[in-house]
Amino acid sequence: MQAKVIRILSVLCILLAVGYTSMAQKYRPFRANVDQDGWAIGMNIGATDLWGDVGTNSFVDHYTNSGYTSKLCFMGGMFGRYTFHPSFAIRFHVNYGVFYATDKWNEDGVKGKSLIEGNDYVQRYLRAQTARTSIAEGAALFEFYPRRFNVTGKAYRRGQPFIAAGLAVFHFTPYSTVADGNTFVKTYDLSLEGQGFGSGYPKKASRVQPAVPLCIGYRWDIGSRLNLGIEYMYRMTFTDQLDGVSGKYISQFEFEQNLSPADAQTAMAIADKTKYYNHALSNTPGTFRGNPDNNDSYSSLAITFAFKVPSRDRIWWTTKKFGSK
């Protein structure tokens, strides 16, 4: 399924690139602040969000809960952008960032409710999981600036909205806290739900995964060489392991049979934290910790800054074809 989706997206991207290249010579705005053929190099930095099993169920609760701003995490990196038409460019970037989520964000929804209720806020709050994931990614995206496709007044404005999509490959390392403490430890090798233990257990996912980044943003040209932008980029992944929560609880015996004594003790203290909070009992092995049918994703809201590299070899937008304006 993953390979099929990636193949389809690759073919669509190639067709878009070929189509826009064929149109490039026909429609070219000429103003000095409009991007010219060639490269730009830049950097980006911004806040991150982890969209997995850990945390809130709704988009609104994610951003409006009282604890969200206390644990902001960030991602930053560098990119190169090649513009071959004012409305179309190819961008390559490398980024590294940290992503965070916690079931404590459901505390606002629990207030005034009995902890024996079965609603989503209570279930997540009692699960008491906290996840932190570090991600290094590389991606290629096609950017489209709709106002600069045709030679109209809006094409010459310094501020331009854009959309982008592409393919990415990322490497992730999941962490979680132990018991009711605040120290984070790596969880991948602890197989918290029995990943890789053998027949009847979930497969152990690779930490190198593909993703599909989707982006919307706005860019301002500062003169003919510099531009400043803001963008929101959402990455759809094909794994449910970014936050270390996906399937079912397993028993202490199963940990002890497959891990060293020290790792088994640590894994048990991470996998089931309900007993450390709210004076609740341990969860029954075989009951769900998360939803294995929904893959995780991650996003960033970033500021970008780019410098257009001078080049004598590229095509400049001139007034020869369109006249002065």
Side-chain angles (χ1 to χ4, degrees):
M1 180 63 181
Q2 296 181 17
K4 184 178 180 181
V5 172
I6 293 174
R7 284 197 298 270
I8 292 173
L9 288 171
S10 299
V11 171
L12 289 175
C13 289
I14 292 172
L15 291 175
L16 282 172
V18 172
Y20 275 109
T21 302
S22 66
M23 298 290 287
Q25 297 299 324
K26 187 176 180 181
Y27 301 107
R28 286 184 180 275
F30 60 86
R31 287 288 177 87
N33 61 299
V34 177
D35 275 355
Q36 300 151 351
D37 286 359
W39 286 97
I41 57 173
M43 61 180 61
N44 61 270
I45 186 169
T48 61
D49 289 291
L50 179 61
W51 305 96
D53 295 89
V54 177
T56 63
N57 187 42
S58 84
F59 180 87
V60 174
D61 288 338
H62 179 93
Y63 286 113
T64 61
N65 74 85
S66 59
Y68 174 74
T69 57
S70 64
K71 291 288 185 180
L72 286 178
C73 292
F74 299 90
M75 169 177 267
M78 301 184 67
F79 63 87
R81 179 195 297 119
Y82 184 79
T83 300
F84 57 87
H85 183 271
S87 68
F88 201 65
I90 304 174
R91 183 172 86 183
F92 304 93
H93 75 229
V94 289
N95 286 327
Y96 175 81
V98 176
F99 299 77
Y100 176 87
T102 177
D103 286 334
K104 294 179 182 178
W105 287 346
N106 293 281
E107 186 174 4
D108 294 344
V110 170
K111 292 177 179 178
K113 295 182 174 62
S114 169
L115 293 182
I116 64 173
E117 292 184 26
N119 69 43
D120 185 77
Y121 288 115
V122 172
Q123 290 180 0
R124 289 172 179 267
Y125 182 72
L126 290 178
R127 184 177 56 185
Q129 289 292 324
T130 296
R132 189 180 74 188
T133 303
S134 61
I135 292 178
E137 69 171 11
L141 295 95
F142 291 94
E143 296 182 348
F144 175 53
Y145 297 81
R147 289 181 174 178
R148 284 182 171 167
F149 183 67
N150 294 309
V151 186
T152 63
K154 291 182 179 180
Y156 311 124
R157 295 180 182 176
R158 294 184 181 274
Q160 295 289 332
F162 71 92
I163 57 174
L167 297 173
V169 176
F170 68 94
H171 178 279
F172 72 98
T173 303
Y175 296 80
S176 187
T177 53
V178 181
D180 56 354
N182 296 315
T183 302
F184 283 89
V185 299
K186 296 180 181 179
T187 61
Y188 180 79
D189 293 330
L190 296 177
S191 301
L192 299 179
E193 296 166 357
Q195 294 94 332
F197 282 179
S199 178
Y201 292 95
K203 293 182 179 179
K204 204 171 187 67
S206 170
R207 287 196 293 159
V208 178
Q209 293 283 335
V212 178
L214 304 173
C215 181
I216 184 170
Y218 199 88
R219 238 180 63 193
W220 294 269
D221 290 310
I222 307 171
S224 61
R225 286 283 178 263
L226 304 176
N227 61 63
L228 180 69
I230 184 170
E231 63 182 33
Y232 178 80
M233 188 177 296
Y234 182 87
R235 290 86 160 175
M236 298 187 298
T237 79
F238 300 89
T239 180
D240 191 29
Q241 296 294 327
L242 293 187
D243 57 9
V245 175
S246 175
K248 299 178 180 180
Y249 291 97
I250 64 174
S251 66
Q252 183 174 350
F253 174 77
E254 290 169 288
F255 282 124
E256 292 172 346
Q257 288 293 105
N258 293 277
L259 300 175
S260 68
D263 284 348
Q265 183 177 4
T266 301
M268 192 63 193
I270 295 174
D272 187 0
K273 298 177 185 174
T274 301
K275 59 188 176 184
Y276 300 105
Y277 295 89
N278 313 307
H279 306 291
L281 299 176
S282 299
N283 288 283
T284 304
T287 57
F288 281 98
R289 300 175 71 231
N291 184 355
D293 297 326
N294 290 336
N295 289 329
D296 298 337
S297 55
Y298 62 100
S299 66
S300 59
L301 177 63
I303 295 173
T304 65
F305 182 80
F307 171 75
K308 304 171 190 177
V309 179
S311 172
R312 295 182 179 179
D313 298 326
R314 65 189 182 184
I315 301 172
W316 295 82
W317 314 148
T318 68
T319 59
K320 292 180 180 179
K321 185 173 181 179
F322 301 105
S324 301
K325 204 164 186 177

